[in-house]
Amino acid sequence: MAKERGKNTYVVFDPSMRSRVQDAMRLETELRRAIAQEEIVAHYQPIVSVADNVLLGFEALARWRHPERGLIFPGEFIELAEETGLIVNLGRQILSAALQDLASWCTVHPAASRLTMSVNLSARQFMQSDLVEQVRQAVRASGMPAQCLCLELTESVVMENAASARVLLERLKALQVRLAVDDFGTGYSSLAYLHQFPLDSLKVDRSFVQRLGRQDSDNAIVHAIIQLAQALRLRVVAEGVEEVAQLEVLQSLGCDAAQGYLLGKPMPAEAVLRLLAGLDSETLQLRHCV
Ligand code: C2E
Ligand code: MG
Ligand code: MG
Ligand code: MG
């Protein structure tokens, strides 16, 4: 646009644009400090088996414990962390904290060793040349078996460069960690590739789950994803389950697992200990819901 107007004109810098840039720069400085001071912590949201309400594991979700602003959610900082590369250190902290917390729960509640800890990996982290080594070290430091860890990747991360992604996923799989596709259905997945990747599960995006039970056509998408997953021998986890009716539809469709406010909100590590203390130590069955 500026070019079209010729050499001797210039575009006035919009003051609101300046303040947005300044905000982003301030946030970046703050975030850098927060990571150095370990203000970013993991909260944990339960993942539960749909058929029998058994606790299967947790997803670790980053939270910024800001000294003045209180708890800040990923929507406010993950994108910036990704753009600035800060996600690499942030992600490393979350990965080791999540595995260490799981290990400490196991010392109090031995049945917790059956649980899986899911950790999100962003595109930037997936491109780290030492990712496999980072994961191996975090697992080893925690003393947990690698099968306890599930790495969640979005479709775009996996599909963008399918050939190299496949090699990397094979190397991660060789560590025996589990691999899940996050937010399934919102990106573009080539079905031809999907079955070539060493995946363990698909997480159906919340946008599909929210509409369950409203119209048959809404159920049809989730139904199709579940059938696809079954054909590919993948487990299906439904994200964002908020209503009993949604859980009932998922049950009737044969969905394996569910996660959502209905089953438990993300909670700090201390709250997980209280949750575990209240469960039958043999079955790890949750009492509420369906
Ligand atoms: P995600 O991995 O798809 O995580 C699920 C999100 O859905 C979480 O949001 C969770 O709190 C929210 N959620 C779960 N159940 C419900 C529900 O019933 N209703 C509603 N409305 N929301 C529900 P959160 O914690 O705000 O995280 C947002 C996204 O930020 C995550 O989406 C993930 O993409 C990213 N993220 C979070 N932590 C990390 C991290 O440690 N590393 C990376 N790379 N990304 C992260
Ligand atoms: Mg996730
Ligand atoms: Mg998700
Ligand atoms: Mg998401």
PDB file of all heavy atoms in Angstrom, residues 164-200:
ATOM      1  N   SER A 164       9.225 -35.601   7.650  1.00  0.00           N
ATOM      2  CA  SER A 164      10.143 -35.456   8.777  1.00  0.00           C
ATOM      3  C   SER A 164       9.421 -35.670  10.100  1.00  0.00           C
ATOM      4  O   SER A 164      10.004 -36.172  11.053  1.00  0.00           O
ATOM      5  CB  SER A 164      10.833 -34.093   8.744  1.00  0.00           C
ATOM      6  OG  SER A 164       9.872 -33.080   8.883  1.00  0.00           O
ATOM      7  N   ALA A 165       8.133 -35.294  10.142  1.00  0.00           N
ATOM      8  CA  ALA A 165       7.359 -35.531  11.366  1.00  0.00           C
ATOM      9  C   ALA A 165       7.306 -37.024  11.674  1.00  0.00           C
ATOM     10  O   ALA A 165       7.431 -37.439  12.824  1.00  0.00           O
ATOM     11  CB  ALA A 165       5.952 -34.965  11.218  1.00  0.00           C
ATOM     12  N   ARG A 166       7.149 -37.796  10.631  1.00  0.00           N
ATOM     13  CA  ARG A 166       7.045 -39.241  10.841  1.00  0.00           C
ATOM     14  C   ARG A 166       8.323 -39.802  11.455  1.00  0.00           C
ATOM     15  O   ARG A 166       8.283 -40.608  12.378  1.00  0.00           O
ATOM     16  CB  ARG A 166       6.750 -39.924   9.509  1.00  0.00           C
ATOM     17  CG  ARG A 166       6.527 -41.389   9.658  1.00  0.00           C
ATOM     18  CD  ARG A 166       6.207 -42.039   8.336  1.00  0.00           C
ATOM     19  NE  ARG A 166       6.399 -43.478   8.448  1.00  0.00           N
ATOM     20  CZ  ARG A 166       6.393 -44.293   7.435  1.00  0.00           C
ATOM     21  NH1 ARG A 166       6.204 -43.828   6.217  1.00  0.00           N
ATOM     22  NH2 ARG A 166       6.571 -45.569   7.606  1.00  0.00           N
ATOM     23  N   VAL A 167       9.465 -39.327  10.949  1.00  0.00           N
ATOM     24  CA  VAL A 167      10.753 -39.792  11.488  1.00  0.00           C
ATOM     25  C   VAL A 167      10.868 -39.422  12.963  1.00  0.00           C
ATOM     26  O   VAL A 167      11.244 -40.243  13.803  1.00  0.00           O
ATOM     27  CB  VAL A 167      11.926 -39.166  10.684  1.00  0.00           C
ATOM     28  CG1 VAL A 167      13.264 -39.502  11.327  1.00  0.00           C
ATOM     29  CG2 VAL A 167      11.881 -39.643   9.238  1.00  0.00           C
ATOM     30  N   LEU A 168      10.495 -38.168  13.274  1.00  0.00           N
ATOM     31  CA  LEU A 168      10.592 -37.707  14.654  1.00  0.00           C
ATOM     32  C   LEU A 168       9.628 -38.466  15.573  1.00  0.00           C
ATOM     33  O   LEU A 168       9.990 -38.872  16.681  1.00  0.00           O
ATOM     34  CB  LEU A 168      10.304 -36.200  14.697  1.00  0.00           C
ATOM     35  CG  LEU A 168      10.567 -35.470  16.002  1.00  0.00           C
ATOM     36  CD1 LEU A 168      11.917 -35.839  16.594  1.00  0.00           C
ATOM     37  CD2 LEU A 168      10.488 -33.970  15.772  1.00  0.00           C
ATOM     38  N   LEU A 169       8.402 -38.684  15.069  1.00  0.00           N
ATOM     39  CA  LEU A 169       7.429 -39.429  15.880  1.00  0.00           C
ATOM     40  C   LEU A 169       7.908 -40.861  16.119  1.00  0.00           C
ATOM     41  O   LEU A 169       7.741 -41.401  17.211  1.00  0.00           O
ATOM     42  CB  LEU A 169       6.056 -39.423  15.201  1.00  0.00           C
ATOM     43  CG  LEU A 169       5.335 -38.066  15.164  1.00  0.00           C
ATOM     44  CD1 LEU A 169       4.039 -38.158  14.375  1.00  0.00           C
ATOM     45  CD2 LEU A 169       5.053 -37.547  16.570  1.00  0.00           C
ATOM     46  N   GLU A 170       8.539 -41.444  15.125  1.00  0.00           N
ATOM     47  CA  GLU A 170       9.080 -42.802  15.291  1.00  0.00           C
ATOM     48  C   GLU A 170      10.155 -42.818  16.382  1.00  0.00           C
ATOM     49  O   GLU A 170      10.226 -43.747  17.183  1.00  0.00           O
ATOM     50  CB  GLU A 170       9.699 -43.327  13.985  1.00  0.00           C
ATOM     51  CG  GLU A 170       8.730 -43.510  12.816  1.00  0.00           C
ATOM     52  CD  GLU A 170       7.841 -44.750  12.937  1.00  0.00           C
ATOM     53  OE1 GLU A 170       7.959 -45.498  13.923  1.00  0.00           O
ATOM     54  OE2 GLU A 170       7.000 -44.941  12.030  1.00  0.00           O
ATOM     55  N   ARG A 171      10.969 -41.768  16.410  1.00  0.00           N
ATOM     56  CA  ARG A 171      12.028 -41.706  17.430  1.00  0.00           C
ATOM     57  C   ARG A 171      11.427 -41.510  18.820  1.00  0.00           C
ATOM     58  O   ARG A 171      11.903 -42.078  19.797  1.00  0.00           O
ATOM     59  CB  ARG A 171      13.013 -40.584  17.098  1.00  0.00           C
ATOM     60  CG  ARG A 171      13.871 -40.911  15.862  1.00  0.00           C
ATOM     61  CD  ARG A 171      14.805 -39.767  15.508  1.00  0.00           C
ATOM     62  NE  ARG A 171      15.697 -39.435  16.608  1.00  0.00           N
ATOM     63  CZ  ARG A 171      16.159 -38.206  16.859  1.00  0.00           C
ATOM     64  NH1 ARG A 171      15.795 -37.191  16.094  1.00  0.00           N
ATOM     65  NH2 ARG A 171      16.972 -37.992  17.869  1.00  0.00           N
ATOM     66  N   LEU A 172      10.394 -40.673  18.905  1.00  0.00           N
ATOM     67  CA  LEU A 172       9.728 -40.494  20.202  1.00  0.00           C
ATOM     68  C   LEU A 172       9.069 -41.802  20.638  1.00  0.00           C
ATOM     69  O   LEU A 172       9.139 -42.205  21.786  1.00  0.00           O
ATOM     70  CB  LEU A 172       8.702 -39.366  20.121  1.00  0.00           C
ATOM     71  CG  LEU A 172       9.277 -37.949  20.039  1.00  0.00           C
ATOM     72  CD1 LEU A 172       8.189 -36.944  19.659  1.00  0.00           C
ATOM     73  CD2 LEU A 172       9.936 -37.543  21.360  1.00  0.00           C
ATOM     74  N   LYS A 173       8.431 -42.452  19.667  1.00  0.00           N
ATOM     75  CA  LYS A 173       7.739 -43.712  19.959  1.00  0.00           C
ATOM     76  C   LYS A 173       8.733 -44.767  20.451  1.00  0.00           C
ATOM     77  O   LYS A 173       8.399 -45.586  21.310  1.00  0.00           O
ATOM     78  CB  LYS A 173       7.016 -44.195  18.698  1.00  0.00           C
ATOM     79  CG  LYS A 173       5.995 -45.281  18.937  1.00  0.00           C
ATOM     80  CD  LYS A 173       4.826 -44.762  19.720  1.00  0.00           C
ATOM     81  CE  LYS A 173       4.412 -45.757  20.772  1.00  0.00           C
ATOM     82  NZ  LYS A 173       3.386 -45.214  21.674  1.00  0.00           N
ATOM     83  N   ALA A 174       9.947 -44.720  19.912  1.00  0.00           N
ATOM     84  CA  ALA A 174      10.970 -45.685  20.318  1.00  0.00           C
ATOM     85  C   ALA A 174      11.329 -45.537  21.800  1.00  0.00           C
ATOM     86  O   ALA A 174      11.781 -46.485  22.438  1.00  0.00           O
ATOM     87  CB  ALA A 174      12.217 -45.544  19.442  1.00  0.00           C
ATOM     88  N   LEU A 175      11.074 -44.353  22.359  1.00  0.00           N
ATOM     89  CA  LEU A 175      11.273 -44.164  23.810  1.00  0.00           C
ATOM     90  C   LEU A 175      10.155 -44.833  24.598  1.00  0.00           C
ATOM     91  O   LEU A 175      10.211 -44.914  25.812  1.00  0.00           O
ATOM     92  CB  LEU A 175      11.278 -42.669  24.173  1.00  0.00           C
ATOM     93  CG  LEU A 175      12.302 -41.725  23.568  1.00  0.00           C
ATOM     94  CD1 LEU A 175      12.030 -40.297  24.047  1.00  0.00           C
ATOM     95  CD2 LEU A 175      13.705 -42.153  23.973  1.00  0.00           C
ATOM     96  N   GLN A 176       9.076 -45.198  23.890  1.00  0.00           N
ATOM     97  CA  GLN A 176       7.866 -45.806  24.460  1.00  0.00           C
ATOM     98  C   GLN A 176       6.894 -44.803  25.058  1.00  0.00           C
ATOM     99  O   GLN A 176       6.003 -45.182  25.816  1.00  0.00           O
ATOM    100  CB  GLN A 176       8.228 -46.888  25.476  1.00  0.00           C
ATOM    101  CG  GLN A 176       9.124 -47.929  24.832  1.00  0.00           C
ATOM    102  CD  GLN A 176       9.061 -49.253  25.513  1.00  0.00           C
ATOM    103  OE1 GLN A 176       9.033 -49.328  26.734  1.00  0.00           O
ATOM    104  NE2 GLN A 176       9.036 -50.301  24.723  1.00  0.00           N
ATOM    105  N   VAL A 177       7.068 -43.516  24.726  1.00  0.00           N
ATOM    106  CA  VAL A 177       6.052 -42.565  25.162  1.00  0.00           C
ATOM    107  C   VAL A 177       4.836 -42.725  24.245  1.00  0.00           C
ATOM    108  O   VAL A 177       4.926 -43.295  23.159  1.00  0.00           O
ATOM    109  CB  VAL A 177       6.550 -41.095  25.122  1.00  0.00           C
ATOM    110  CG1 VAL A 177       7.784 -40.927  25.987  1.00  0.00           C
ATOM    111  CG2 VAL A 177       6.816 -40.634  23.707  1.00  0.00           C
ATOM    112  N   ARG A 178       3.686 -42.240  24.713  1.00  0.00           N
ATOM    113  CA  ARG A 178       2.480 -42.284  23.882  1.00  0.00           C
ATOM    114  C   ARG A 178       2.348 -40.978  23.110  1.00  0.00           C
ATOM    115  O   ARG A 178       2.837 -39.942  23.547  1.00  0.00           O
ATOM    116  CB  ARG A 178       1.248 -42.468  24.753  1.00  0.00           C
ATOM    117  CG  ARG A 178       1.308 -43.740  25.560  1.00  0.00           C
ATOM    118  CD  ARG A 178       0.066 -43.821  26.399  1.00  0.00           C
ATOM    119  NE  ARG A 178       0.318 -44.676  27.553  1.00  0.00           N
ATOM    120  CZ  ARG A 178      -0.581 -45.523  28.038  1.00  0.00           C
ATOM    121  NH1 ARG A 178      -1.763 -45.626  27.480  1.00  0.00           N
ATOM    122  NH2 ARG A 178      -0.290 -46.256  29.084  1.00  0.00           N
ATOM    123  N   LEU A 179       1.646 -41.061  21.980  1.00  0.00           N
ATOM    124  CA  LEU A 179       1.492 -39.879  21.136  1.00  0.00           C
ATOM    125  C   LEU A 179       0.019 -39.675  20.803  1.00  0.00           C
ATOM    126  O   LEU A 179      -0.682 -40.608  20.427  1.00  0.00           O
ATOM    127  CB  LEU A 179       2.295 -40.070  19.842  1.00  0.00           C
ATOM    128  CG  LEU A 179       3.812 -40.275  20.023  1.00  0.00           C
ATOM    129  CD1 LEU A 179       4.455 -40.712  18.712  1.00  0.00           C
ATOM    130  CD2 LEU A 179       4.475 -38.993  20.541  1.00  0.00           C
ATOM    131  N   ALA A 180      -0.427 -38.428  20.968  1.00  0.00           N
ATOM    132  CA  ALA A 180      -1.835 -38.111  20.692  1.00  0.00           C
ATOM    133  C   ALA A 180      -1.924 -36.930  19.734  1.00  0.00           C
ATOM    134  O   ALA A 180      -1.080 -36.035  19.765  1.00  0.00           O
ATOM    135  CB  ALA A 180      -2.548 -37.763  21.995  1.00  0.00           C
ATOM    136  N   VAL A 181      -2.946 -36.941  18.894  1.00  0.00           N
ATOM    137  CA  VAL A 181      -3.235 -35.768  18.065  1.00  0.00           C
ATOM    138  C   VAL A 181      -4.280 -34.937  18.807  1.00  0.00           C
ATOM    139  O   VAL A 181      -5.370 -35.426  19.110  1.00  0.00           O
ATOM    140  CB  VAL A 181      -3.752 -36.158  16.667  1.00  0.00           C
ATOM    141  CG1 VAL A 181      -4.096 -34.903  15.866  1.00  0.00           C
ATOM    142  CG2 VAL A 181      -2.704 -36.972  15.922  1.00  0.00           C
ATOM    143  N   ASP A 182      -3.922 -33.693  19.107  1.00  0.00           N
ATOM    144  CA  ASP A 182      -4.773 -32.785  19.879  1.00  0.00           C
ATOM    145  C   ASP A 182      -5.705 -32.017  18.939  1.00  0.00           C
ATOM    146  O   ASP A 182      -5.389 -31.841  17.763  1.00  0.00           O
ATOM    147  CB  ASP A 182      -3.862 -31.793  20.615  1.00  0.00           C
ATOM    148  CG  ASP A 182      -4.519 -31.186  21.838  1.00  0.00           C
ATOM    149  OD1 ASP A 182      -5.714 -31.405  22.067  1.00  0.00           O
ATOM    150  OD2 ASP A 182      -3.807 -30.468  22.572  1.00  0.00           O
ATOM    151  N   ASP A 183      -6.836 -31.572  19.460  1.00  0.00           N
ATOM    152  CA  ASP A 183      -7.775 -30.726  18.707  1.00  0.00           C
ATOM    153  C   ASP A 183      -8.150 -31.362  17.375  1.00  0.00           C
ATOM    154  O   ASP A 183      -8.291 -30.660  16.357  1.00  0.00           O
ATOM    155  CB  ASP A 183      -7.183 -29.328  18.443  1.00  0.00           C
ATOM    156  CG  ASP A 183      -6.739 -28.630  19.717  1.00  0.00           C
ATOM    157  OD1 ASP A 183      -7.211 -29.021  20.791  1.00  0.00           O
ATOM    158  OD2 ASP A 183      -5.925 -27.697  19.629  1.00  0.00           O
ATOM    159  N   PHE A 184      -8.313 -32.664  17.351  1.00  0.00           N
ATOM    160  CA  PHE A 184      -8.559 -33.357  16.089  1.00  0.00           C
ATOM    161  C   PHE A 184      -9.853 -32.864  15.439  1.00  0.00           C
ATOM    162  O   PHE A 184     -10.874 -32.698  16.106  1.00  0.00           O
ATOM    163  CB  PHE A 184      -8.626 -34.879  16.290  1.00  0.00           C
ATOM    164  CG  PHE A 184      -8.653 -35.635  14.995  1.00  0.00           C
ATOM    165  CD1 PHE A 184      -7.494 -35.803  14.256  1.00  0.00           C
ATOM    166  CD2 PHE A 184      -9.845 -36.132  14.493  1.00  0.00           C
ATOM    167  CE1 PHE A 184      -7.514 -36.461  13.034  1.00  0.00           C
ATOM    168  CE2 PHE A 184      -9.871 -36.799  13.267  1.00  0.00           C
ATOM    169  CZ  PHE A 184      -8.709 -36.959  12.545  1.00  0.00           C
ATOM    170  N   GLY A 185      -9.786 -32.641  14.134  1.00  0.00           N
ATOM    171  CA  GLY A 185     -10.959 -32.183  13.395  1.00  0.00           C
ATOM    172  C   GLY A 185     -10.901 -30.707  13.057  1.00  0.00           C
ATOM    173  O   GLY A 185     -11.635 -30.234  12.195  1.00  0.00           O
ATOM    174  N   THR A 186     -10.015 -29.955  13.736  1.00  0.00           N
ATOM    175  CA  THR A 186      -9.954 -28.509  13.465  1.00  0.00           C
ATOM    176  C   THR A 186      -8.906 -28.186  12.414  1.00  0.00           C
ATOM    177  O   THR A 186      -8.930 -27.126  11.810  1.00  0.00           O
ATOM    178  CB  THR A 186      -9.594 -27.702  14.735  1.00  0.00           C
ATOM    179  OG1 THR A 186      -8.341 -28.172  15.229  1.00  0.00           O
ATOM    180  CG2 THR A 186     -10.646 -27.879  15.797  1.00  0.00           C
ATOM    181  N   GLY A 187      -7.975 -29.079  12.218  1.00  0.00           N
ATOM    182  CA  GLY A 187      -6.912 -28.834  11.238  1.00  0.00           C
ATOM    183  C   GLY A 187      -7.144 -29.677  10.009  1.00  0.00           C
ATOM    184  O   GLY A 187      -8.247 -30.158   9.759  1.00  0.00           O
ATOM    185  N   TYR A 188      -6.091 -29.852   9.276  1.00  0.00           N
ATOM    186  CA  TYR A 188      -6.195 -30.658   8.076  1.00  0.00           C
ATOM    187  C   TYR A 188      -5.394 -31.920   8.312  1.00  0.00           C
ATOM    188  O   TYR A 188      -4.196 -31.867   8.556  1.00  0.00           O
ATOM    189  CB  TYR A 188      -5.641 -29.869   6.887  1.00  0.00           C
ATOM    190  CG  TYR A 188      -5.246 -30.726   5.722  1.00  0.00           C
ATOM    191  CD1 TYR A 188      -6.211 -31.216   4.837  1.00  0.00           C
ATOM    192  CD2 TYR A 188      -3.921 -31.065   5.507  1.00  0.00           C
ATOM    193  CE1 TYR A 188      -5.848 -32.016   3.779  1.00  0.00           C
ATOM    194  CE2 TYR A 188      -3.545 -31.863   4.449  1.00  0.00           C
ATOM    195  CZ  TYR A 188      -4.511 -32.330   3.587  1.00  0.00           C
ATOM    196  OH  TYR A 188      -4.144 -33.127   2.542  1.00  0.00           O
ATOM    197  N   SER A 189      -6.043 -33.053   8.275  1.00  0.00           N
ATOM    198  CA  SER A 189      -5.323 -34.308   8.413  1.00  0.00           C
ATOM    199  C   SER A 189      -5.451 -35.117   7.146  1.00  0.00           C
ATOM    200  O   SER A 189      -6.548 -35.328   6.647  1.00  0.00           O
ATOM    201  CB  SER A 189      -5.897 -35.138   9.562  1.00  0.00           C
ATOM    202  OG  SER A 189      -5.241 -34.825  10.754  1.00  0.00           O
ATOM    203  N   SER A 190      -4.333 -35.528   6.636  1.00  0.00           N
ATOM    204  CA  SER A 190      -4.379 -36.457   5.528  1.00  0.00           C
ATOM    205  C   SER A 190      -4.559 -37.849   6.110  1.00  0.00           C
ATOM    206  O   SER A 190      -3.757 -38.303   6.913  1.00  0.00           O
ATOM    207  CB  SER A 190      -3.071 -36.388   4.742  1.00  0.00           C
ATOM    208  OG  SER A 190      -2.907 -37.592   4.046  1.00  0.00           O
ATOM    209  N   LEU A 191      -5.657 -38.487   5.727  1.00  0.00           N
ATOM    210  CA  LEU A 191      -5.924 -39.813   6.277  1.00  0.00           C
ATOM    211  C   LEU A 191      -4.839 -40.794   5.863  1.00  0.00           C
ATOM    212  O   LEU A 191      -4.519 -41.728   6.576  1.00  0.00           O
ATOM    213  CB  LEU A 191      -7.299 -40.309   5.825  1.00  0.00           C
ATOM    214  CG  LEU A 191      -8.471 -39.429   6.277  1.00  0.00           C
ATOM    215  CD1 LEU A 191      -9.789 -40.073   5.889  1.00  0.00           C
ATOM    216  CD2 LEU A 191      -8.436 -39.157   7.760  1.00  0.00           C
ATOM    217  N   ALA A 192      -4.255 -40.520   4.689  1.00  0.00           N
ATOM    218  CA  ALA A 192      -3.197 -41.403   4.205  1.00  0.00           C
ATOM    219  C   ALA A 192      -1.997 -41.371   5.146  1.00  0.00           C
ATOM    220  O   ALA A 192      -1.360 -42.395   5.386  1.00  0.00           O
ATOM    221  CB  ALA A 192      -2.760 -40.975   2.804  1.00  0.00           C
ATOM    222  N   TYR A 193      -1.722 -40.187   5.698  1.00  0.00           N
ATOM    223  CA  TYR A 193      -0.590 -40.085   6.610  1.00  0.00           C
ATOM    224  C   TYR A 193      -0.946 -40.579   8.002  1.00  0.00           C
ATOM    225  O   TYR A 193      -0.135 -41.209   8.657  1.00  0.00           O
ATOM    226  CB  TYR A 193      -0.109 -38.635   6.716  1.00  0.00           C
ATOM    227  CG  TYR A 193       0.718 -38.205   5.546  1.00  0.00           C
ATOM    228  CD1 TYR A 193       0.381 -37.092   4.794  1.00  0.00           C
ATOM    229  CD2 TYR A 193       1.863 -38.926   5.191  1.00  0.00           C
ATOM    230  CE1 TYR A 193       1.152 -36.701   3.722  1.00  0.00           C
ATOM    231  CE2 TYR A 193       2.637 -38.540   4.111  1.00  0.00           C
ATOM    232  CZ  TYR A 193       2.281 -37.420   3.377  1.00  0.00           C
ATOM    233  OH  TYR A 193       3.046 -37.047   2.326  1.00  0.00           O
ATOM    234  N   LEU A 194      -2.165 -40.230   8.406  1.00  0.00           N
ATOM    235  CA  LEU A 194      -2.576 -40.522   9.776  1.00  0.00           C
ATOM    236  C   LEU A 194      -2.225 -41.963  10.164  1.00  0.00           C
ATOM    237  O   LEU A 194      -1.719 -42.225  11.237  1.00  0.00           O
ATOM    238  CB  LEU A 194      -4.078 -40.276   9.895  1.00  0.00           C
ATOM    239  CG  LEU A 194      -4.619 -39.967  11.273  1.00  0.00           C
ATOM    240  CD1 LEU A 194      -3.918 -38.777  11.911  1.00  0.00           C
ATOM    241  CD2 LEU A 194      -6.115 -39.689  11.182  1.00  0.00           C
ATOM    242  N   HIS A 195      -2.483 -42.879   9.264  1.00  0.00           N
ATOM    243  CA  HIS A 195      -2.265 -44.283   9.636  1.00  0.00           C
ATOM    244  C   HIS A 195      -0.794 -44.692   9.536  1.00  0.00           C
ATOM    245  O   HIS A 195      -0.417 -45.755   9.994  1.00  0.00           O
ATOM    246  CB  HIS A 195      -3.188 -45.208   8.830  1.00  0.00           C
ATOM    247  CG  HIS A 195      -2.609 -45.688   7.566  1.00  0.00           C
ATOM    248  ND1 HIS A 195      -2.193 -46.984   7.392  1.00  0.00           N
ATOM    249  CD2 HIS A 195      -2.355 -45.038   6.416  1.00  0.00           C
ATOM    250  CE1 HIS A 195      -1.702 -47.107   6.158  1.00  0.00           C
ATOM    251  NE2 HIS A 195      -1.795 -45.953   5.565  1.00  0.00           N
ATOM    252  N   GLN A 196       0.023 -43.814   8.982  1.00  0.00           N
ATOM    253  CA  GLN A 196       1.460 -44.124   8.921  1.00  0.00           C
ATOM    254  C   GLN A 196       2.210 -43.632  10.152  1.00  0.00           C
ATOM    255  O   GLN A 196       3.373 -43.966  10.349  1.00  0.00           O
ATOM    256  CB  GLN A 196       2.090 -43.472   7.686  1.00  0.00           C
ATOM    257  CG  GLN A 196       1.630 -44.092   6.393  1.00  0.00           C
ATOM    258  CD  GLN A 196       2.270 -43.405   5.196  1.00  0.00           C
ATOM    259  OE1 GLN A 196       3.281 -42.720   5.324  1.00  0.00           O
ATOM    260  NE2 GLN A 196       1.677 -43.581   4.043  1.00  0.00           N
ATOM    261  N   PHE A 197       1.563 -42.781  10.936  1.00  0.00           N
ATOM    262  CA  PHE A 197       2.226 -42.267  12.126  1.00  0.00           C
ATOM    263  C   PHE A 197       2.003 -43.215  13.308  1.00  0.00           C
ATOM    264  O   PHE A 197       0.934 -43.804  13.434  1.00  0.00           O
ATOM    265  CB  PHE A 197       1.671 -40.883  12.491  1.00  0.00           C
ATOM    266  CG  PHE A 197       1.974 -39.815  11.493  1.00  0.00           C
ATOM    267  CD1 PHE A 197       0.991 -38.923  11.081  1.00  0.00           C
ATOM    268  CD2 PHE A 197       3.251 -39.672  10.969  1.00  0.00           C
ATOM    269  CE1 PHE A 197       1.271 -37.921  10.171  1.00  0.00           C
ATOM    270  CE2 PHE A 197       3.541 -38.668  10.058  1.00  0.00           C
ATOM    271  CZ  PHE A 197       2.547 -37.795   9.656  1.00  0.00           C
ATOM    272  N   PRO A 198       3.003 -43.317  14.179  1.00  0.00           N
ATOM    273  CA  PRO A 198       2.861 -44.232  15.327  1.00  0.00           C
ATOM    274  C   PRO A 198       2.044 -43.597  16.456  1.00  0.00           C
ATOM    275  O   PRO A 198       2.542 -43.366  17.543  1.00  0.00           O
ATOM    276  CB  PRO A 198       4.315 -44.463  15.754  1.00  0.00           C
ATOM    277  CG  PRO A 198       5.012 -43.188  15.387  1.00  0.00           C
ATOM    278  CD  PRO A 198       4.332 -42.682  14.148  1.00  0.00           C
ATOM    279  N   LEU A 199       0.773 -43.307  16.181  1.00  0.00           N
ATOM    280  CA  LEU A 199      -0.066 -42.598  17.145  1.00  0.00           C
ATOM    281  C   LEU A 199      -0.791 -43.561  18.073  1.00  0.00           C
ATOM    282  O   LEU A 199      -1.037 -44.718  17.716  1.00  0.00           O
ATOM    283  CB  LEU A 199      -1.105 -41.759  16.401  1.00  0.00           C
ATOM    284  CG  LEU A 199      -0.557 -40.686  15.467  1.00  0.00           C
ATOM    285  CD1 LEU A 199      -1.683 -40.105  14.611  1.00  0.00           C
ATOM    286  CD2 LEU A 199       0.122 -39.577  16.278  1.00  0.00           C
ATOM    287  N   ASP A 200      -1.162 -43.063  19.242  1.00  0.00           N
ATOM    288  CA  ASP A 200      -1.938 -43.852  20.189  1.00  0.00           C
ATOM    289  C   ASP A 200      -3.368 -43.363  20.315  1.00  0.00           C
ATOM    290  O   ASP A 200      -4.263 -44.143  20.573  1.00  0.00           O
ATOM    291  CB  ASP A 200      -1.272 -43.818  21.566  1.00  0.00           C
ATOM    292  CG  ASP A 200       0.097 -44.442  21.528  1.00  0.00           C
ATOM    293  OD1 ASP A 200       0.178 -45.673  21.612  1.00  0.00           O
ATOM    294  OD2 ASP A 200       1.091 -43.701  21.341  1.00  0.00           O
TER     295      ASP A 200
END
